[in-house]
Amino acid sequence: QNWTRGMSYCLHSESHLDTGPIYVRENGKLHVVNQGAGGIQNVTPKTRPFRLFSRGFSVELCMNREDDRARRQRTDHFIFTYTKEGNLRYSAKSLFSLVLGYISDNVDHIDSLIGFPEQIAEKLFSAAEARQKFTEPVTGLRALQKFTEAYGSLVLCSLCLRNRYLVISEKLEEIKSFRELTCLDLSCCKLGDEHELLEHLTKEALSSVKRLLLKDNSLSDAGLRRMTAPVRVLKKGLENLLVLDLSCNPKITDVGIGYLLSFKKLNCLDISETGVKDVNAVIKRIQMQIGLVHSKVPLKEFDHTNCKTEGWAEQTVLQWEQAVMEAIKPQDTLRSRTAALHFYGKTHRIEEVVKCTLVEAETKASGNLQFYKEKVQNCHLSLQKEVAGSHELTNNKKRALAEQERERTSKQKHLCLTVEDWDLLNTY
């Protein structure tokens, strides 16, 4: 009895805690302690459900607490939509979409994509582009190179960087990674003769370029000599060039035009507003050695509308441009400051960026130096005309032989390389 009273006292002292029923084994029998009467009942009453934790106990389940970024991205696994009633509804994404998102997040860790299906690779490129993976400084370049090595012109076949010198300076390595470009527009970029991108044009990676627009780039005869050296001597580089625009480069003279005669496949050439002095001699020289005819009207090949950025990386180039514009955006506030200085009488030198605008104005016949290749038309002459023109044919043959001899001698003179040419070739 003393033992039961002591236990009853202990139970009453801790009555605020719901510990559940207490069982005591005595003389081989199991008894339950009655907390209300303070005794032991022999008959087992109705037991209440056993409670492991108290009523105020709560628990929070957290996964990957050390990686909060991975936990937040869990919501990307669902698609949230609204029903007709306006209720929010979510459904799980497909396994393909989840795997595609995971690979695009780690696209810079891919070893190689050579032999990978093009259809899936395009979706992978779009997923990585949507996450702006190619705008990152180091990992973006590495990821872009994996795609260009495997798919070449599918990533980008045409690139227009007209009046985008800042994009070229910020993303030069990414631009150099593009392979198998067929059209490249670098107009109004003021690159100069020593720019690294112009040196990259002579490499085999851009031997597929057929349309090159270099209008208003501060080029001179030295730049043309470097650009044409692989074609003139090694028969590599821009040997497949069909359209070339070198207008608005006043430092190009008659000597620089001589380097362009190595482009035997040219169909269109624009050297308007250059430093050419003897125009008539240049026109005859181009017509005799490359077969291009001087055009009296502006050609549509140089209206700067045919060259556009095309390929998988079209949006990537726009992201680069947007990032550059956002980086220089705080400089626009300087205009309000300078306006205030002018208002209060203080002078301040304003250095505004001169933007090149492509003015499609009609040029005079004397100032227009655009050339094109005439299409050979098959003329079926009658027998009488052939007999009457037999004498002219013999004269034409003599002229052709004389021109071949003159061209052969000019080639021999042309192959006599100077010391500067040999120094330039040793750099390749």
Side-chain angles (χ1 to χ4, degrees), residues 209-223:
V209 174
K210 297 181 180 180
R211 184 182 180 88
L212 182 60
L213 306 179
L214 295 173
K215 178 179 181 179
D216 192 13
N217 270 282
S218 303
L219 298 176
S220 64
D221 297 339

Side-chain angles (χ1 to χ4, degrees), residues 9 16 38 66 121 209 213 224 249 296 299 307 327 372 376 388 423:
Y9 174 77
H16 62 280
E66 66 279 0
V209 174
L213 306 179
L224 295 184
N249 290 290
K296 296 182 180 180
L299 301 176
C307 186
Y372 68 99
V376 179
D423 294 337

Side-chain angles (χ1 to χ4, degrees), residues 222-237:
L224 295 184
R225 181 174 63 85
R226 293 183 177 183
M227 191 172 62
T228 58
V231 183
R232 290 186 286 117
V233 182
L234 303 177
K235 302 301 179 182
K236 296 181 180 180

Side-chain angles (χ1 to χ4, degrees), residues 196-379:
E196 188 177 351
L197 184 57
L198 292 179
E199 182 181 355
H200 179 67
L201 290 176
T202 61
K203 302 297 177 62
E204 295 183 2
L206 291 180
S207 60
S208 60
V209 174
K210 297 181 180 180
R211 184 182 180 88
L212 182 60
L213 306 179
L214 295 173
K215 178 179 181 179
D216 192 13
N217 270 282
S218 303
L219 298 176
S220 64
D221 297 339
L224 295 184
R225 181 174 63 85
R226 293 183 177 183
M227 191 172 62
T228 58
V231 183
R232 290 186 286 117
V233 182
L234 303 177
K235 302 301 179 182
K236 296 181 180 180
L238 299 172
E239 57 180 353
N240 297 318
L241 201 61
L242 299 179
V243 179
L244 179 60
D245 185 5
L246 294 172
S247 59
C248 300
N249 290 290
K251 294 183 180 179
I252 296 178
T253 62
D254 302 28
V255 179
I257 301 301
Y259 297 128
L260 301 178
L261 302 179
S262 58
F263 296 133
K264 300 298 182 181
K265 297 182 180 180
L266 271 183
N267 290 334
C268 297
L269 175 64
D270 189 359
I271 54 174
S272 305
E273 300 184 24
T274 56
V276 176
K277 296 181 180 179
D278 195 350
V279 178
N280 295 328
V282 169
I283 293 175
K284 292 180 180 179
R285 191 177 180 185
I286 292 176
Q287 184 173 0
M288 290 179 62
Q289 298 192 20
I290 331 178
L292 298 182
V293 182
H294 178 232
S295 176
K296 296 182 180 180
V297 295
L299 301 176
K300 63 179 181 179
E301 283 79 7
F302 301 106
D303 58 357
H304 296 272
T305 58
N306 296 328
C307 186
K308 299 179 181 178
T309 303
E310 298 178 355
W312 296 353
E314 180 179 355
Q315 296 297 325
T316 302
V317 178
L318 294 178
Q319 290 176 0
W320 294 345
E321 184 179 2
Q322 184 178 4
V324 171
M325 295 303 294
E326 289 179 355
I328 64 174
K329 203 170 184 179
Q331 296 181 1
D332 294 339
T333 57
L334 296 176
R335 296 182 179 179
S336 60
R337 297 179 183 177
T338 53
L341 292 176
H342 284 299
F343 178 78
Y344 289 106
K346 297 181 180 180
T347 59
H348 184 72
R349 184 179 179 182
I350 307 174
E351 296 182 358
E352 295 183 354
V353 179
V354 180
K355 295 184 179 180
C356 175
T357 57
L358 298 176
V359 181
E360 303 296 338
E362 295 182 357
T363 57
K364 297 181 180 179
S366 59
N368 180 31
L369 289 178
Q370 295 181 352
F371 300 85
Y372 68 99
K373 183 171 290 186
E374 289 182 334
K375 296 181 180 179
V376 179
Q377 299 179 356
N378 295 325
C379 299

Side-chain angles (χ1 to χ4, degrees), residues 165 168 186 189-195 197-198 214 217-218:
Y165 177 77
I168 295 176
L186 300 174
C189 289
K190 305 290 184 179
L191 298 180
D193 297 330
E194 304 293 335
H195 200 274
L197 184 57
L198 292 179
L214 295 173
N217 270 282
S218 303

Side-chain angles (χ1 to χ4, degrees), residues 97-139:
S97 300
L98 296 179
V99 173
L100 197 67
Y102 178 78
I103 298 176
S104 60
D105 287 333
N106 303 276
V107 67
D108 55 302
H109 297 291
I110 296 177
D111 292 334
S112 177
L113 288 170
I114 298 177
F116 199 67
E118 297 175 359
Q119 294 81 358
I120 302 179
E122 184 178 2
K123 295 181 179 180
L124 179 61
F125 189 92
S126 300
E129 189 178 53
R131 290 167 169 79
Q132 297 187 354
K133 300 296 292 186
F134 301 115
T135 59
E136 299 176 0
V138 180
T139 59

